[in-house]
Amino acid sequence: MKTLNDVVLHFLKDMYYAETAVLKLFPELVAAAENDGLKKIFLKHAEQTKAQLVRLETVFAALGRPVEAVTCEAIIGLIQETDDVVKDTSPGAVRDAALVACVAAIEHYEIARYGTIAAWLEAMGHAEAASLLRQSMQEDSEADAQLNAITTRVINSALAKS
């Protein structure tokens, strides 16, 4: 990568891979979670992730580039950690708390990437593309806030009782 344009395209491909991989994770998350509110958060964010993929496709088109993915080692690691949590915990509040931590880490990764790429696109004169990524970043921030809220309101209470 020699130019900012090269870096932007690399990270867009990285995010396309990441969002596609995370979308495949949501059915496992819904099945593994015990708390109905947490299941609803996962289902809602799965739908948002589909929209985020469409936005990424729109950004590629706006830049005159084909939609491509490049392996995202970070998301592979975060998904592996999530899979390990599901495998190594029993259903209940402890697993739900661990799932929240895993998904929050994924959301934070996505927030960081979208924010950075959006800033670069803005600086390069691609305001509409930047706006699309900021919308995805906002959705991920809202999902993170919902995860924090359910942890505070429900999961921590269930953990204290056990």
Side-chain angles (χ1 to χ4, degrees):
M1 293 180 274
K2 295 181 181 180
T3 68
L4 182 57
N5 191 54
D6 294 340
V7 174
V8 167
L9 288 172
H10 173 79
F11 285 120
L12 284 170
K13 293 173 186 179
D14 174 271
M15 285 306 299
Y16 197 79
Y17 180 97
E19 293 290 15
T20 301
V22 170
L23 185 59
K24 293 175 187 173
L25 178 66
F26 279 112
E28 179 184 345
L29 294 171
V30 172
E34 185 171 275
N35 180 278
D36 288 336
L38 186 56
K39 287 177 184 275
K40 287 179 185 173
I41 291 169
F42 292 156
L43 288 168
K44 178 182 177 186
H45 201 55
E47 291 305 311
Q48 290 174 324
T49 300
K50 290 175 188 176
Q52 291 170 357
L53 282 165
V54 170
R55 281 188 212 109
L56 282 167
E57 292 164 1
T58 303
V59 170
F60 278 110
L63 299 176
R65 303 300 298 222
V67 176
E68 295 180 71
V70 62
T71 301
C72 175
E73 296 296 334
I75 215 70
I76 289 172
L78 292 169
I79 289 172
Q80 182 59 56
E81 180 180 54
T82 306
D83 289 340
D84 291 346
V85 161
V86 172
K87 189 173 44 182
D88 296 340
T89 58
S90 299
V94 171
R95 177 188 281 173
D96 285 356
L99 289 175
V100 166
C102 291
V103 175
I106 291 168
E107 296 309 321
H108 285 233
Y109 176 80
E110 293 175 353
I111 292 164
R113 281 288 191 250
Y114 281 133
T116 302
I117 300 167
W120 290 334
L121 287 170
E122 186 81 40
M124 295 167 69
H126 299 289
E128 282 187 43
S131 178
L132 290 171
L133 297 185
R134 284 195 182 98
Q135 186 177 349
S136 294
M137 185 177 72
Q138 182 61 38
E139 288 172 351
D140 289 334
S141 294
E142 290 168 5
D144 183 57
Q146 291 170 347
L147 291 168
N148 287 331
I150 198 163
T151 295
T152 302
R153 190 177 69 249
V154 178
I155 296 172
N156 286 347
S157 175
L159 288 171
K161 292 176 185 173
S162 63

